[in-house]
Structure formats: C-alpha cells, structure tokens
Amino acid sequence: MVLRASGWSMGGYVLGQILRILSNLVLTRLLVPEVFGVMAVATMVLVVITLLSDVGLRQAVIQSPNGNVQPFLDTAWTLQMVRGVLIWLICIGVGIAIDQANVYGLTTGGVYQYPDLSLIIGAVGFAAVIMGFQSTKAITRARNLDLSRLTIIEFIALVISLVVAILLCWATGSIWSFVISSWVNALVLTVLSHTSLPGTNNRVHIDRKALGEMMSFGRWIMLASTFSVLAANGDRLLLAGWVTPTVLGFYVLAFNLVAMIEGAGGRLFSAVATPALSRVARETPEQIRKVYYNFRLPFDLFFVGSAGALYGGGRAIIDLLYDHRYAEAGLIIEILSFSLLVTRFGVASSVYLAAGRPQNLTILSFVKTTALFTLVPLANWLFGFEGALWAIALHGVLTLPILLYFNIRYRLNSVKFECVILLAWPVGYLVGHAFEMMVRHVSFVL
C-alpha cells in the first residue's frame, strides 16, 4: 500500500515539477526578473497567513480514530471554509498595512515599495476562499493511502493553471497572469474534489465532540505552524527588505529549484509517511522504528546525493535552463543545496504526529525560527548577502540535537546510519561536477 501510494505521489510530483520547469523557462522569457521577486513576496504572505492559521484539520482527520466518521468530516469542512475567508481578509489587511508603511516611510526600499503590491497580495489571498470549499473526500483518500485519483486531480489542475498563466503572460506580460492562474488552480482542485471522488458530500455542520478533539490536537499544530511558517518563509521576508526585486528574483529561482527536491520529500512525508506511520502507531506500534528507517533510507540517499549534485553542478543547471540575465542564481543554488542535509530528518516529524506528540514539532519549529531570525541578520551584517545565504542554508543544524533527543523515546537514533549515509554527498558532487564539465564542453563546441 505504501509503495503504491508513494509511486502515485512521486509520479505526480515529478511530472508536475517537469511541467513547472518547462513553464518557467517560457515565463522567464516573457517577463522581467523583478516580477518573480514581487510574486514571491505576495505568495509568501499567503503561505505565512495560511500556516499561521493552521489548526491541523488535515492532520486531525488522518490521525484520529474518528477520521472516517461523517460528522467529524463535516465539522472539519465547516471550519475549513471559515478559515479560508479569514485568510483572505487577513491578506487584504496585510496589503493595507504595507501601503500605510510606505506612506509613513517605514519601509526603506526593496520589494515592499513595488506599485500595486498590496492589491496583488489581496488578490492572491482569494485563492484561500476557493480552496476552503474543497471536499474532505480528498483528505479521506489520503488517510487511506489511496492517492491515485488525488494525484490525477492535482495534475489536471496544474496543467490548466499553467496553460492559463502562459497564455495570459504572452498576451499581457502582466504579473496579474500569475494571480488569475492561482485562482484557476484552486477552482479546478475544489470542483474536482466534489465531482470526481466517491463518498458522501459535505454539509455545514458542527459536532461539539469532534470540534473539541480537533481543537485539542490542533492547538499544538497551530503553534508549530506559527514557528515553522516563519522559518520556512523568513528568508524571503528578510531578504525583501535588503535587496532589489531583481536580486530577490534570482534568489527565488534558485530557491525554487532546491525547493523542488525538498518538496518531493515533503510531499511523501505528508501524503505517505504520516498516514502510514499513523496506521502503524494505531495497530502495531512496535514496528515504528523499522518503518521509520524503511522511509529514511531512500529519503536520505535522495537528499544527501542531491545536495552534492547541486553543489557540484548548480551553476551549470542555471546556465542550461535560463539565459545570461539569471547567471547570478548559480552561486545561490550551490549554497542553498546544504539545506538538504537537514531536510532529510523530516520523517521524524511524521513519527511524532503519528504518536500523538505534536508538541515536539512546536519545539523544533521554535528553535529553527529563532535560529533563522538571529543568524541571518547577523550574517548579513557581518558578511553581506553571501553570508546571509549561508545562514539560510545552515540554520536548521541547530535543531538536530533536540531532534536526536526526542528520538530516544522511540529508539530512532543510529550513529552508524547517520555517518554512512553522508557518503552519498561526494557521489552526488562527482555527478554534478561531471554534468558541469559536460555543459561547459558543449557550450565551448557550440
């Protein structure tokens, strides 16, 4: 079941990333680099608000013994709709706050002074309202590790939204093409979740017992999300106040390439590892360690090897994918590659959720957030933009001692495994370096 779910999840993810890369190649030639920096800030605001308001509805349905009971699902759906509207209203408020900060001279430059940024943030936030109506049948399918139709739905929505984005960019050359495509993506996902998935349709309903269970579980998820969203988006939040939209655009392109690899792991963590480990925790808890390392081995080989490959061939990847205007992103992707060495420990979070210990995530997220907002400004002050990049890539290392301490309870630590798996880095580096030499040779010949 896990292998089948992983195959669908990764297959959909890989195809989706290929489409995103191809569309990105087209869009970077239709738009100026600063557009990507501005859109990154607007998207970041939406993501931050979305995660700050996360009360763990999806995780509660997946983890709870009542996750297949309709009153429980209807309660989650009702809360989901209310949350979508609140997210949109807060996005509008943030846009107004940025405008006022510009009026009173509280911003000193950077992306925050881009014209119409506030309108773009508010418009992007409307996608949350649409997504709030998405059926909980999608969560139920994920809970049962039945990801085939979910993957197809996501792929269809992605294809349609990317086509819309490309056509609108070609016709208008406007940043609003991205905004409209985000609405289209949310609308297609929501409609198909109701019409193409079997099961009982949701209705507006609040069950007090279900609400109490969700709030009890969700308070820790909300705290963890509060810190994790700052840790995940604080880099762009800080850089947007220090660099120009063009430099931020370079950063976003490099960050997105690394995030594609991190996203593969994150997708499997949430779509496969958490449901699978939750089932193991409910039925055969003595198997947690075995299942954990069954997940860790392929994840770690992938992340550590990819880190080496990006460090060895990052510049060649940028040169191959984009034109000369984006060459500065090469150094950025090489530095950010080291973040993958920490990302590989994310499977442990699925164990904590499965075991009903979301407070562990809160502590880890707090430490990571504190490290980011302490080390990055300090490194930027001492060493400039490149120093800030190294701090962004490595600040997560400070969470590892705490994670290893938490793992003691579940007997998840193995010094031998952690040391041996690092051998994948030089292998990946040699592959990346060979790729760079090949690209240079081809470029020289041409």
Side-chain angles (χ1 to χ4, degrees):
M1 185 182 296
V2 168
L3 290 174
R4 184 170 60 251
S6 299
W8 275 104
S9 182
M10 283 306 300
Y13 182 82
V14 170
L15 287 175
Q17 294 308 315
I18 291 173
L19 282 178
R20 287 187 176 93
I21 291 174
L22 293 176
S23 64
N24 221 20
L25 295 178
V26 176
L27 293 172
T28 53
R29 285 157 175 80
L30 295 175
L31 301 168
V32 294
E34 71 174 24
V35 168
F36 296 93
V38 174
M39 196 62 194
V41 171
T43 304
M44 175 196 65
V45 171
L46 174 60
V47 171
V48 167
I49 295 171
T50 299
L51 292 178
L52 287 177
S53 62
D54 184 10
V55 291
L57 297 177
R58 183 180 186 278
Q59 296 94 326
V61 171
I62 289 175
Q63 187 266 347
S64 174
N66 300 314
N68 284 322
V69 179
Q70 195 59 39
F72 192 93
L73 295 171
D74 288 339
T75 301
W77 188 65
T78 303
L79 295 176
Q80 180 179 273
M81 288 190 295
V82 173
R83 176 171 170 255
V85 174
L86 290 176
I87 290 172
W88 180 41
L89 294 176
I90 295 172
C91 284
I92 294 173
V94 170
I96 295 173
I98 291 175
D99 275 346
Q100 293 302 307
N102 287 330
V103 170
Y104 291 101
L106 299 179
T107 56
T108 57
V111 185
Y112 295 118
Q113 292 187 343
Y114 185 85
D116 295 334
L117 176 61
S118 60
L119 292 176
I120 294 170
I121 291 173
V124 167
F126 186 70
V129 177
I130 303 173
M131 288 296 293
F133 289 87
Q134 189 176 31
S135 174
T136 58
K137 289 186 285 187
I139 305 178
T140 302
R141 304 282 286 203
R143 169 188 166 91
N144 297 322
L145 290 174
D146 188 0
L147 303 183
S148 56
R149 289 198 183 188
L150 291 181
T151 303
I152 293 171
I153 288 172
E154 291 176 359
F155 186 75
I156 291 172
L158 177 63
V159 170
I160 294 174
S161 63
L162 290 179
V163 169
V164 169
I166 292 173
L167 291 176
L168 289 177
C169 284
W170 176 74
T172 68
S174 170
I175 192 173
W176 289 94
S177 306
F178 288 120
V179 176
I180 295 173
S181 70
S182 70
W183 295 346
V184 171
N185 182 268
L187 183 61
V188 174
L189 284 173
T190 300
V191 171
L192 291 181
S193 72
H194 286 278
T195 59
S196 65
L197 296 177
T200 305
N201 292 324
N202 294 115
R203 65 185 181 90
V204 177
H205 175 72
I206 294 291
D207 181 272
R208 289 188 177 182
K209 184 177 179 181
L211 179 62
E213 181 180 338
M214 290 179 193
M215 293 301 100
S216 178
F217 181 84
R219 69 178 185 270
W220 289 109
I221 297 295
M222 190 170 186
L223 280 173
S225 295
T226 300
F227 295 123
S228 64
V229 68
L230 294 174
N233 297 277
D235 53 347
R236 280 147 290 167
L237 185 69
L238 293 170
L239 292 176
W242 299 335
V243 302
T244 65
T246 299
V247 173
L248 186 62
F250 295 149
Y251 177 84
V252 169
L253 287 178
F255 174 84
N256 285 342
L257 290 173
V258 177
M260 287 181 185
I261 298 173
E262 291 183 339
R267 183 182 178 91
L268 287 179
F269 295 160
S270 62
V272 181
T274 299
L277 287 165
S278 295
R279 183 168 181 171
V280 171
R282 290 193 302 266
E283 300 175 3
T284 55
E286 68 278 3
Q287 297 291 321
I288 283 284
R289 176 182 170 87
K290 179 181 178 181
V291 176
Y292 170 75
Y293 275 104
N294 284 341
F295 275 112
R296 275 288 307 273
L297 181 60
F299 278 135
D300 281 29
L301 288 173
F302 176 65
F303 281 132
V304 177
S306 296
L310 288 179
Y311 187 74
R315 296 173 194 261
I317 293 173
I318 295 296
D319 291 342
L320 184 66
L321 294 178
Y322 305 105
D323 60 46
H324 66 279
R325 295 176 299 166
Y326 298 90
E328 292 183 36
L331 173 64
I332 299 174
I333 195 174
E334 290 180 355
I335 296 175
L336 294 183
S337 69
F338 285 91
S339 65
L340 297 173
L341 299 179
V342 180
T343 302
R344 63 196 179 95
F345 291 97
V347 180
S349 299
S350 298
V351 175
Y352 305 149
L353 286 176
R357 300 284 296 178
Q359 54 266 45
N360 290 2
L361 303 187
T362 303
I363 296 171
L364 289 170
S365 298
F366 172 76
V367 173
K368 189 173 183 179
T369 303
T370 303
L372 178 73
F373 282 90
T374 301
L375 297 179
V376 174
L378 180 62
N380 183 71
W381 178 59
L382 292 175
F383 306 108
F385 178 60
E386 188 170 336
L389 292 177
W390 281 106
I392 290 170
L394 298 176
H395 71 278
V397 172
L398 297 184
T399 65
L400 296 186
I402 300 172
L403 185 142
L404 295 175
Y405 172 76
F406 288 152
N407 284 352
I408 293 174
R409 178 173 182 172
Y410 309 102
R411 299 182 298 109
L412 299 182
N413 292 327
S414 172
V415 176
K416 179 180 178 181
F417 179 88
E418 303 300 346
C419 294
V420 171
I421 207 69
L422 291 176
L423 296 176
W425 192 92
V427 175
Y429 174 80
L430 291 175
V431 172
H433 185 66
F435 174 76
E436 183 173 2
M437 294 296 100
M438 181 182 70
V439 170
R440 288 183 179 178
H441 177 72
V442 171
S443 299
F444 177 77
V445 172
L446 295 178

